[in-house]
Amino acid sequence: MIHVLLAEDQHIIRGALVALLSLEPDLEVVESVESGDAVVPAALVHRPDVAVLDIDMPGTLDGLAAAAELRAKLPGCRVLMLTGYGKPGHLRRALSAQVDGFLLKTAAPERLVEAIREVAAGRRVLDPSLALTAWDLADNPLTSREVDVLRLVAGGAEATEIAGRLFLSAGTVRNYLTTIVGKLNARNRTDAVRIAAEAGWI
């Protein structure tokens, strides 16, 4: 029996996936959660063989950040990422996080089931439509701190709030934003958020 942890923030999709996987005689969904923050605590309790994680989830951790934390705290759990978009930056982050599989939500249901079995067996899975993308991934020019700053900007935070949350001065945050805009050849911080989001860097 393959024990599966499922993380998906959309209730209807999560329910449908649980129902789908429950039809398989060798799969058991031991827990389903709706945020990245809930992934590791649930995994430490239920010890799944495979975690199926949506990339875009609310909370402090998105699916990829949750996958990295899960690998650190429960390395025996294999990770299969699901996404609605094949953004190159998401794929690069997934590969950097050493996830075991990366599948688009447009895949056929039977492909998801088979991917879970493959990942559980120790194989790597990559959605065929993303295979070419993997050869031509642009490097993220932003440092991890700049990514942190830009994520908070994307969430609507102003410089003073960002400074408080990241334990920086407001001036340092403004310097980061100037650097980010320059690195991305953006018109302004809003444009920088758009560019980074489309690339999958935030």
Side-chain angles (χ1 to χ4, degrees), residues 1-4 21-22 24-29 113 116-117:
M1 183 67 72
I2 299 170
H3 298 113
V4 179
L21 298 180
S22 298
E24 300 299 321
D26 58 335
L27 302 182
E28 179 186 357
V29 178
V113 170
I116 292 171
R117 291 182 180 128

Side-chain angles (χ1 to χ4, degrees), residues 184-195:
L184 299 183
N185 294 316
R187 294 186 299 277
N188 49 43
R189 65 181 67 177
T190 303
D191 193 35
V193 167
R194 178 191 62 77
I195 290 167

